[in-house]
Amino acid sequence: MKPSEIVKDVFIVGGPDITDGRDGCIYLMNLGELILIDTGAGWSVENIISNIKKLGFDPKNLAKILLTHCHIDHIGGVPEIKKRFGAKIYIHKLDTPPLENGDPVLTAAKWYQTSFPPTPVDVKLNSPDETLIVSGQKIVCLHTPGHTPGSISIYLDKDGKRILFGQDLHGPLLEEFGSNLEEYGRSTKNLLNLEADILCEGHFGIYKTKKDVKNYILSYRRQYGVE
Ligand SMILES: [Zn+2]
Ligand SMILES: [Zn+2]
């Protein structure tokens, strides 16, 4: 698969079928500045950068990296991208220590037979929802714990569509990640209430109708028995 535009100014630039089988999906927003959502597992930074260029953008304009949670398949590219372009790293406060400590278990680096260097975070999100405004466009970061304590989901309303970035809504829910089923139930309920039109998911790609988004979230709620 090639990098592509999902809706105007929102792109997929990486993921298991695009950059590296170990990567979570990587999304890019062009809002005057470039914003990356997640960064893959770390082996594909060159591919991500070349995909950003292929879409006609200068990666020097990468201003922010929004991390949906602390797992290596989403954060692995951060140290290199930060070093090259100086983008600011955003992640929820509760998922910050694994990054800053380079924790092999909580980052799941051990699972991927790699390591993650201790990496300082620039902005620690710390409320149920936090809104960033970039060139007048609101980007909402919702705290949606469950898979990890500091998982966030991100949404924005653009051209009449609500676009939701919901990574690892499929789980897994594991004790070693600090997963919590009750929180997962509450978080996925909140996500259903958003009635998003498009779901940009973390490993399986993009769901493009309201009905598909709803069914996707419901299927995992059913699987985890939280209906
Ligand atoms: Zn994860
Ligand atoms: Zn993942």
Side-chain angles (χ1 to χ4, degrees), residues 69 71 73-74 147-148 168 171:
H69 64 293
H71 288 160
D73 47 327
H74 304 262
H147 177 55
T148 67
D168 291 14

Side-chain angles (χ1 to χ4, degrees), residues 5 7-10 29-31 137-139 155-163 197-198:
E5 191 170 50
V7 295
K8 194 174 174 295
D9 301 327
V10 180
M29 288 190 270
N30 169 39
L31 301 171
Q137 171 70 58
K138 285 184 186 169
I139 303 167
Y155 73 90
L156 64 158
D157 293 329
K158 211 170 175 306
D159 305 329
K161 299 252 185 230
R162 176 161 287 179
I163 306 145
D197 299 285
I198 297 172

Side-chain angles (χ1 to χ4, degrees), residues 22-211:
R22 295 163 287 190
D23 287 349
C25 296
I26 305 155
Y27 298 98
L28 179 79
M29 288 190 270
N30 169 39
L31 301 171
E33 61 181 54
L34 296 177
I35 300 169
L36 207 54
I37 297 181
D38 288 344
T39 63
W43 288 278
S44 62
V45 170
E46 290 306 332
N47 292 344
I48 298 166
I49 293 169
S50 109
N51 286 345
I52 292 172
K53 287 181 183 161
K54 267 184 214 156
L55 291 166
F57 302 116
D58 184 346
K60 283 199 196 83
N61 296 330
L62 272 175
K64 295 182 176 70
I65 302 171
L66 310 182
L67 296 174
T68 60
H69 64 293
C70 64
H71 288 160
I72 192 79
D73 47 327
H74 304 262
I75 66 168
V78 161
E80 183 63 22
I81 296 173
K82 166 93 189 174
K83 191 170 91 191
R84 289 210 214 170
F85 307 112
K88 286 209 159 61
I89 305 169
Y90 290 64
I91 191 167
H92 192 273
K93 188 180 165 212
L94 294 176
D95 269 22
T96 295
L99 263 79
E100 297 201 323
N101 302 331
D103 187 304
V105 175
L106 291 174
T107 61
K110 207 175 154 194
W111 259 32
Y112 284 74
Q113 297 173 320
T114 185
S115 59
F116 183 79
T119 302
V121 163
D122 297 293
V123 181
K124 297 170 190 174
L125 303 168
N126 187 30
S127 55
D129 60 280
E130 222 153 310
T131 303
L132 314 174
I133 300 177
V134 179
S135 305
Q137 171 70 58
K138 285 184 186 169
I139 303 167
V140 185
C141 301
L142 270 187
H143 184 209
T144 50
H147 177 55
T148 67
S151 289
I152 62 164
S153 304
I154 298 158
Y155 73 90
L156 64 158
D157 293 329
K158 211 170 175 306
D159 305 329
K161 299 252 185 230
R162 176 161 287 179
I163 306 145
L164 170 65
F165 301 89
Q167 269 62 349
D168 291 14
L169 298 179
H170 55 82
L173 301 183
L174 297 177
E175 210 179 311
E176 65 183 283
F177 291 163
S179 302
N180 182 303
L181 183 63
E182 235 170 80
E183 289 182 332
Y184 177 84
R186 269 197 299 274
S187 295
T188 46
K189 186 100 213 289
N190 290 340
L191 293 177
L192 284 172
N193 289 341
L194 290 178
E195 298 191 348
D197 299 285
I198 297 172
L199 171 64
C200 298
E201 202 278 334
H203 291 267
F204 307 120
I206 301 152
Y207 295 78
K208 282 199 166 171
T209 69
K210 214 170 238 191
K211 196 171 154 219

